[in-house]
Amino acid sequence: SRGQKGFAMQESSLQTRGRDFYGSLPLGTRGVFVTCVALYVTGVLLGFDDFAQICMAPSWVLRDGQVYRMFTSVLFHGSVLHLAFNMMAFVPMASSLERLLGTVQFTYILVLFTLLASIFHVGLALIGGTLGYASMHECAIGFSGVIFGVIVVDTHLSSVAQRSIFGFFTVPSQWYPLSLLIFLQVLMPSVSFVGHLSGLLAGLTYVRGHLNPLLLRPSTTAWIEQHAWAAAAVRHGAFIAGGAAADAVPGAGRPDSLPTHLFAPLRGGDGDGTRRWWQVPTFARRPPPVEGTFATMDAPPSGGGGGGGAGGTGAGAGPKPNYSRPGSTPAASAAAGAG
């Protein structure tokens, strides 16, 4: 019947769009996306909701030395909405940044952000504990802390003067990450304020240049890409080789330095430069990699406007659930705090 044919065509169209979306993701961004989705689906199928075993719990990190929580906590999500919000915010910004820096440097920076945000989390929790707050006993999960770090980088490189907070109001771009942090906390008080603030501080530490000594040098990146154990990844069609140097220069992300374009040419995934339906305003259209830092590369002759990354369209990081204290039942808190 006509209705069945229409349904079949719609289903085919969705499958095609899904393949296009997945195929366009650079390897590092794809790895994060697949890992987070796979862990969530596996948890649902196995009935796992004991997030107290893997969450970011500052008291257990300090008291029991459970450092693994710094990494496991960012990969798990409390609900499908929590996962969806985080991935919708992360994928556009991360894809553009990875195409600029290359897969090796991009992945390394994500690891740095994860580690640094966790250190800030523990430090802020200690300060909160001395002030009488229960921050040492929270149990937070989700990738949104790292996403706040990426939002800071995206904002630093954006050309727009103002950004929208979910369409409710606009703020000056330099205040966008902090405004988004406060707005999410007011909208959903149960999310982890400390977790989001820690990611924001990690991003600020990076764009201020304080992480430059820890970044990979171009020679180190080239050595990794040429090593035998990396051969399989390098041969993958979604791998982005080389890239611009990642050193950040404070103050370089001024509005006239990197005009933002919609639908930047793809350098990963299918790599054919075709406009894709899901792409949103993000980093600048860039010339081939040149010497210098990614924040000071010469802009192309053609100017451009538009928002920067997911934040430019009002899509901020999804909230990070705050399960009030380790050992409590997280499932109920996830329903309230993992929007």
Side-chain angles (χ1 to χ4, degrees):
S1 68
R2 182 177 302 177
Q4 290 176 330
K5 289 182 179 179
F7 177 78
M9 292 178 62
Q10 185 178 19
E11 184 179 13
S12 176
S13 176
L14 290 175
Q15 291 175 349
T16 300
R17 289 187 174 191
R19 285 194 299 267
D20 285 349
F21 167 75
Y22 181 78
S24 76
L25 299 182
L27 192 59
T29 304
R30 183 183 301 186
V32 173
F33 177 79
V34 170
T35 299
C36 291
V37 172
L39 285 175
Y40 179 76
V41 172
T42 301
V44 170
L45 294 177
L46 298 180
F48 175 80
D49 65 354
D50 190 9
F51 298 122
Q53 299 300 318
I54 49 86
C55 67
M56 181 58 192
S59 62
W60 288 352
V61 172
L62 287 179
R63 184 187 64 194
D64 300 329
Q66 297 179 2
V67 180
Y68 69 88
R69 293 177 179 274
M70 293 182 172
F71 298 96
T72 58
S73 60
V74 301
L75 298 176
F76 287 83
H77 293 80
S79 71
V80 67
L81 285 178
H82 184 206
L83 174 66
F85 276 128
N86 278 352
M87 291 301 101
M88 285 191 296
F90 172 73
V91 166
M93 294 185 295
S95 296
S96 295
L97 185 58
E98 182 175 355
R99 292 185 184 108
L100 175 61
L101 298 179
T103 296
V104 173
Q105 186 76 270
F106 168 78
T107 304
Y108 177 69
I109 287 175
L110 284 189
V111 173
L112 279 182
F113 276 18
T114 300
L115 181 60
L116 187 59
S118 297
I119 293 173
F120 276 129
H121 194 143
V122 173
L124 291 173
L126 275 173
I127 295 174
T130 62
L131 298 177
Y133 295 97
S135 51
M136 284 294 292
H137 301 290
E138 75 169 2
C139 185
I141 60 173
F143 207 69
S144 50
V146 178
I147 294 173
F148 261 94
V150 177
I151 287 174
V152 171
V153 177
D154 184 65
T155 301
H156 179 70
L157 297 179
S158 174
S159 68
V160 296
Q162 293 186 323
R163 287 192 168 189
S164 171
I165 303 292
F166 295 104
F168 290 104
F169 56 91
T170 59
V171 296
S173 288
Q174 64 267 32
W175 292 105
Y176 173 74
L178 182 61
S179 301
L180 180 63
L181 170 73
I182 296 173
F183 181 79
L184 284 175
Q185 197 64 37
V186 172
L187 189 66
M188 290 167 284
S190 61
V191 303
S192 175
F193 176 79
V194 174
H196 290 168
L197 178 60
S198 299
L200 188 153
L201 292 176
L204 283 176
T205 303
Y206 175 59
V207 299
R208 298 294 183 184
H210 300 306
L211 295 184
N212 287 352
L214 300 178
L215 299 178
L216 299 178
R217 299 301 97 193
S219 59
T220 305
T221 300
W223 178 84
I224 293 173
E225 293 177 348
Q226 295 167 9
H227 204 281
W229 52 261
V234 173
R235 287 195 302 266
H236 197 285
F239 183 86
I240 308 296
D247 289 26
V249 177
R254 58 191 186 279
D256 60 346
S257 64
L258 282 176
T260 302
H261 293 263
L262 186 62
F263 306 118
L266 301 179
R267 291 180 52 205
D270 51 19
D272 60 2
T274 305
R275 296 172 70 149
R276 299 302 181 196
W277 61 274
W278 61 84
Q279 289 178 305
V280 298
T282 181
F283 289 104
R285 188 189 307 272
R286 297 176 178 87
V290 297
E291 292 295 327
T293 68
F294 78 91
T296 56
M297 293 174 64
D298 292 335
S302 58
T313 59
K320 190 169 194 169
N322 177 5
Y323 306 126
S324 58
R325 68 180 60 249
S328 65
T329 303
S333 299

